[in-house]
């Protein structure tokens, strides 16, 4: 069954010729394939904490597990309320690129509700434990993340429908996750950590924007005014390409300013992949998927996600090397 789990982790799907076990069902339901973004955010916060010599393993581990649980809850909340409000249907993209947990019959509505409550309850216990260690700011981080997660899809705000979903993702996977992990691990939060959270926040934002580009026509028809719907496809593709380039500009600026050590410039090894992605974003989506492509009709999001993994991994490698082989850029 581990082959099933690996396939789901890599593609969000399980081929029809493979038997569906209970763990696979829930891995699909929580969309574990996108968990690497949360893992990277937590790891960035932990490495930044280690860079100031205040890394404490237990609060870091609790924060990382809490973030993964929060991500799982977020994905289930999105599916539950998008179905309840009539957005998710068998014809909508959400049910086409991967099984919708309820529409596909994998779980019942009541099962999904119970799972949401259980995961949030576990997250609440972790938040209480971290509050006992670090104080009330933990609650502020947790409530801010929960607010964006819930009202991303839940009335009356439904941030996704009013062009604020992309900003919400930037804030959650950048300042809230990275800054929150740093605070949980060290008990402090200097201003430079907020700056250090920006590069990866940009990368995660490109993934959501790519997904919204792929669903642009369907979202427009349903009155969902995501950022790509407001901008139009051509401008949205240009924006996403610009954000990917901005990642390198911000990383370089932080290294030159001494906010981050120079090893983060290793991210330049991802430039060949960036060029491939930029070429893809310069062209319209193909009419048919390539052979064996697992998440059609999504297209641009896949390229953004692949770039996210490569650039995020190199950014982590640079932060790690800053710890074990510290260097200084020459002055002047």
């Amino acid at each position: 069954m581990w082959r099933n789990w690996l396939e789901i982790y890599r593609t969000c799907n399980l081929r029809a010729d493979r038997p569906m076990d209970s763990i696979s069902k829930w891995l699909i339901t929580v969309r574990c394939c996108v968990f690497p973004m949360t893992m990277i955010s937590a790891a960035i916060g932990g490495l930044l904490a280690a860079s100031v010599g205040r890394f404490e393993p237990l609060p870091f581990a609790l924060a990382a597990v809490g973030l993964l649980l929060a991500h799982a809850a977020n994905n289930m909340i999105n599916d539950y309320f998008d179905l309840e409000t009539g957005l998710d249907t068998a014809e909508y993209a959400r049910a086409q690129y991967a099984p919708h947990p309820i529409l596909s019959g994998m779980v019942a509505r009541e099962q999904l509700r119970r799972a949401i409550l259980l995961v949030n309850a576990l997250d609440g216990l972790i938040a209480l434990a971290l509050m006992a260690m670090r104080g009330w700011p933990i609650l502020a981080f947790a409530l801010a993340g929960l607010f964006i997660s819930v009202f991303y899809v839940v009335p009356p705000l439904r941030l996704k429908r009013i062009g604020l979903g992309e900003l919400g993702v930037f804030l959650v996977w950048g300042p809230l996750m990275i800054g929150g992990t740093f605070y949980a691990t060290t008990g402090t939060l200097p201003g430079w950590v907020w700056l250090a959270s920006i590069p990866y926040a940009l990368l995660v934002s490109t993934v959501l924007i790519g997904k919204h580009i792929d669903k642009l026509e369907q979202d427009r028809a349903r009155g969902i005014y995501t950022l790509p719907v407001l901008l139009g496809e051509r401008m949205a593709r240009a924006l996403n390409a610009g954000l990917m380039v901005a990642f390198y500009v911000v990383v370089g600026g932080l290294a030159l300013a001494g906010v981050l050590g120079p090893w983060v410039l290793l991210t330049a090894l991802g430039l060949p992949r960036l060029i491939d992605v930029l070429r893809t974003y310069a062209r319209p989506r193909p009419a048919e998927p390539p052979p064996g492509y697992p998440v059609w009709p999504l297209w641009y999001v896949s390229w953004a996600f692949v770039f996210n993994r490569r650039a995020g991994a190199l950014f982590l490698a640079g932060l790690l090397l800053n710890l074990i082989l510290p260097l200084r850029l020459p002055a002047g």
Side-chain angles (χ1 to χ4, degrees), residues 115-179:
I116 291 169
L117 291 173
L118 174 62
V119 172
N120 276 306
L122 292 173
D123 238 359
L125 292 175
I126 289 174
L128 289 175
L130 286 172
M131 282 180 63
M133 298 177 187
R134 301 303 188 204
W136 66 265
I138 291 293
L139 182 62
F141 278 108
L143 290 180
L146 183 63
F147 177 89
I148 295 173
S149 173
V150 170
F151 288 107
Y152 182 82
V153 291
V154 174
L157 293 182
R158 293 195 281 192
L159 300 173
K160 178 172 70 172
R161 292 175 176 258
I162 56 175
L164 292 177
E166 295 84 0
L167 175 61
V169 162
F170 176 91
L171 293 174
V172 168
W173 268 266
L176 291 180
M177 283 194 181
I178 295 173

Side-chain angles (χ1 to χ4, degrees), residues 86-101:
L87 173 60
D88 281 349
T89 65
E91 295 75 32
Y92 189 57
R94 172 63 187 93
Q96 294 174 348
Y97 69 83
H100 187 288

Side-chain angles (χ1 to χ4, degrees), residues 212-233:
H212 286 169
I213 294 172
D214 290 327
K215 301 190 302 163
L216 189 151
E217 295 302 330
Q218 287 187 329
D219 284 344
R220 179 185 286 135
R222 288 165 171 78
I224 303 169
Y225 296 103
T226 62
L227 195 56
V229 170
L230 294 173
L231 295 176
E233 181 180 324

Side-chain angles (χ1 to χ4, degrees), residues 5-310:
W5 307 338
L6 181 60
E7 181 175 331
I8 293 166
Y9 176 76
R10 292 176 59 196
T11 70
C12 298
N13 281 304
L14 184 63
R15 295 197 304 269
D17 61 342
R18 290 190 178 275
M20 178 71 73
D21 60 276
S22 59
I23 293 178
S24 293
K25 175 180 71 175
W26 284 104
L27 289 176
I28 291 174
T29 296
V30 300
R31 286 185 258 171
C32 73
C33 57
V34 293
F35 284 3
M37 294 188 294
T38 296
M39 296 176 190
I40 291 174
S41 285
I44 291 171
L47 287 171
L48 293 177
S51 73
V52 296
R54 300 192 61 176
F55 183 86
E56 295 185 34
L58 178 59
F60 168 75
L62 287 173
V65 172
L67 292 179
L68 287 171
L69 289 174
H71 195 173
N74 171 275
N75 290 339
M76 292 189 289
I77 288 169
N78 286 353
D79 283 337
Y80 183 84
F81 282 97
D82 276 345
L83 185 64
E84 290 294 298
T85 56
L87 173 60
D88 281 349
T89 65
E91 295 75 32
Y92 189 57
R94 172 63 187 93
Q96 294 174 348
Y97 69 83
H100 187 288
I102 297 175
L103 290 174
S104 68
M106 285 195 305
V107 299
R109 274 183 168 86
E110 181 57 32
Q111 287 179 296
L112 193 59
R113 280 199 298 268
R114 287 199 299 264
I116 291 169
L117 291 173
L118 174 62
V119 172
N120 276 306
L122 292 173
D123 238 359
L125 292 175
I126 289 174
L128 289 175
L130 286 172
M131 282 180 63
M133 298 177 187
R134 301 303 188 204
W136 66 265
I138 291 293
L139 182 62
F141 278 108
L143 290 180
L146 183 63
F147 177 89
I148 295 173
S149 173
V150 170
F151 288 107
Y152 182 82
V153 291
V154 174
L157 293 182
R158 293 195 281 192
L159 300 173
K160 178 172 70 172
R161 292 175 176 258
I162 56 175
L164 292 177
E166 295 84 0
L167 175 61
V169 162
F170 176 91
L171 293 174
V172 168
W173 268 266
L176 291 180
M177 283 194 181
I178 295 173
T181 301
F182 184 98
Y183 179 79
T185 305
T186 67
T188 64
L189 191 57
W192 65 266
V193 174
W194 300 114
L195 296 175
S197 75
I198 292 175
Y200 195 66
L202 290 172
L203 288 184
V204 178
S205 299
T206 67
V207 174
L208 183 64
I209 293 172
K211 184 177 181 180
H212 286 169
I213 294 172
D214 290 327
K215 301 190 302 163
L216 189 151
E217 295 302 330
Q218 287 187 329
D219 284 344
R220 179 185 286 135
R222 288 165 171 78
I224 303 169
Y225 296 103
T226 62
L227 195 56
V229 170
L230 294 173
L231 295 176
E233 181 180 324
R234 186 182 296 272
M235 286 189 64
R237 284 194 275 131
L239 171 65
N240 230 21
L243 291 177
M244 294 176 195
V245 173
F247 165 79
Y248 288 99
V249 174
V250 175
V251 168
L254 292 174
L256 291 173
V259 175
L260 297 175
W263 282 111
V264 294
L265 297 176
L266 277 177
T267 52
L269 294 176
L271 286 172
R273 176 59 56 85
L274 173 65
I275 292 170
D276 289 340
V277 175
L278 294 182
R279 286 172 178 163
T280 299
Y281 268 79
R283 301 189 298 264
R285 184 174 64 175
E288 300 291 336
Y293 186 76
V295 290
W296 192 259
L298 300 184
W299 179 251
Y300 293 111
V301 64
S302 299
W303 288 87
F305 189 60
V306 167
F307 176 67
N308 176 293
R309 283 192 175 187
R310 174 68 60 84

